[in-house]
Amino acid sequence: MDDDKPARRRTSDLTTGPIPRTLLLFALPVLGSNVLQSLNGSINAVWVGRFLGEAALTATSNANLVLFLILGTVFGIGMAATILVAQSVGARDLSEARRIVGTSATFFFLVSVVFAICGWIWVDAILTGLSTPADALPLARSYLRIIFVAVPMMNLLSFVMTVLRGAGDSRTPSVFMALAVVLDVVLNPLLIRGVGPFPELGIAGSATATLIGQTVSVIAILIVLYARRHPLRLAGSDLALLKPDPALLRIIVSKGVPMGLQMIVISAAALTVMGIVNSYGSQVAAAYGIAAQLWTYIQMPALAIGAAVSSMAAQNVGAGRWDRIGKVAASGVGFNLVLTGALVALLFVFDRPVLSLFLTGDSTAIDIAAHINKVASWSFILFGITIVLFATVRATGAVMPPLIILIISVLIVRTGFAYSMRSVIGQEALWWSFPAGSITSLVLAAVYYRFGRWRTMHMIEGRPAAGEPPDTGLGVPRQRARLAPETPNG
């Protein structure tokens, strides 16, 4: 597509206008998508818990941790591509943005297929490694095998949505996430119980509903983007861009792998804690699974704001508008404190009515889950600030320091606390490990944000670093920008 001027009008400029208002308007559809995703998981957990019992709920909790690990593995590739797209859009270089989309889409999808195949083959080894309770193991196997089939479509949908956000469009992804969620929620009980013409699949029906919802949604969003002639779509001669460019792939992988490892570190810590939780039996595991469902809601504002901050900061980096970066981060931190703080307060007040949705009112698991929330939920306010600071610095290409911080705070401090303090305070060590990790991550992230060298970073040569004058024209020259080499400071 050569008509870049009309195309630019179909992308959103995040480099001008009032920062708090622009950031909030961009973050709200992202937040809506996160709400829908969390509602999807929670409603499905309600169906599974009510229809199939605690063992089935434990099975889905274990399987979802595995799924999060898989999604986290390819998350970094998608984020690297998104940041590069956002920088190119900010610099008004849409041909470069399409080149990034082509290389990263092919690589992203192929990696997803490999993970899906490997997961299907080694599902039993994965669940055994998690110490999945014996009564939940067959259910988790049935559920997870179908989820592995869904992984390529899930990852492709996630990739398309994140790239659109990098281009400044957060509304279109929210519409198609809604489509996936509605299909999943509606089909779940029908396929679990075998209502009407639908087969009775039990717990496999819940996974099948997810597969259908994700597949239909990704096909639909691609049809709409091509029908609208979106500037980042690949058509005609641009289809050749689907052949990976080695130089571009090198920078995507070198920046994407550390960001993906951040998710893997979080997943590894969660899997470690889940392994310890499982050792206390299905009741404690079910309680922890319910608490984790509620924590997804608590973290939604920070994740949405972090995604908005990352896209907005990256576009401003591409445009050389370093005067706006600090204000973007400050606005993100402020919104996180207000929104996440409000959700934590609501959870403290209404935890038991919400928990009773998942299991019967006389279940001991509800008492355990209520206690877990009181100990751990407030720490997500602190971790939300960390997410915003990480989103800001990685928009420049500084990806190693956040990874190191997470290794220290989440993998070493959190899991170390959970293991070492069990002999002293028992189960309480598991729940207090979350505040211990969140406090550590916030302190280290704040120190790096204030004193680190992230302002000297750039992912593509030709993009000005802090203190350098921006391009006096529309951005980088029309010829292909050269990729910046990897540097020791991340």
Side-chain angles (χ1 to χ4, degrees), residues 10-33:
R10 296 194 293 274
T11 59
S12 297
D13 187 1
L14 303 178
T15 64
T16 58
I19 290 173
R21 180 177 180 275
T22 303
L23 181 65
L24 183 61
L25 290 178
F26 187 88
L28 285 176
V30 183
L31 178 58
S33 295

Side-chain angles (χ1 to χ4, degrees), residues 391-462:
T392 305
V393 302
R394 75 184 179 202
T396 68
V399 294
M400 285 303 298
L403 172 61
I404 294 169
I405 290 170
L406 281 180
I407 291 173
I408 295 171
S409 62
V410 176
L411 202 55
I412 297 177
V413 173
R414 181 190 293 175
T415 59
F417 188 96
Y419 266 115
S420 63
M421 296 301 291
R422 268 200 308 165
S423 60
V424 180
I425 57 178
Q427 291 181 27
E428 293 299 301
L430 297 172
W431 324 139
W432 281 103
S433 68
F434 287 91
S438 294
I439 292 170
T440 304
S441 65
L442 176 57
V443 170
L444 295 177
V447 169
Y448 179 71
Y449 179 85
R450 176 64 181 83
F451 300 106
R453 298 175 57 194
W454 60 274
R455 294 171 181 84
T456 67
M457 297 292 297
H458 50 88
M459 293 177 79
I460 299 180
E461 292 183 0

Side-chain angles (χ1 to χ4, degrees), residues 91-174:
R92 309 298 192 264
D93 190 353
L94 293 178
S95 62
E96 178 76 3
R98 287 192 292 276
R99 190 169 70 94
I100 294 163
V101 168
T103 290
S104 53
T106 300
F107 181 72
F108 193 84
F109 186 74
L110 291 177
V111 170
S112 299
V113 170
V114 170
F115 274 103
I117 294 172
C118 293
W120 172 275
I121 294 172
W122 291 309
V123 62
D124 285 335
I126 293 169
L127 292 172
T128 301
L130 275 179
S131 302
T132 304
D135 56 345
L137 186 58
L139 296 167
R141 181 190 300 116
S142 298
Y143 181 86
L144 196 52
R145 275 194 164 149
I146 296 175
I147 288 296
F148 278 128
V149 175
V151 161
M153 290 297 103
M154 297 173 74
N155 281 340
L156 183 57
L157 179 60
S158 174
F159 174 78
V160 174
M161 292 194 302
T162 55
V163 166
L164 288 176
R165 288 169 185 157
D169 179 8
S170 61
R171 294 176 184 173
T172 301
S174 67

Side-chain angles (χ1 to χ4, degrees), residues 177 228 235 369 443 472 476 484:
M177 177 53 63
R228 291 179 179 175
V443 170
T472 55
V476 294

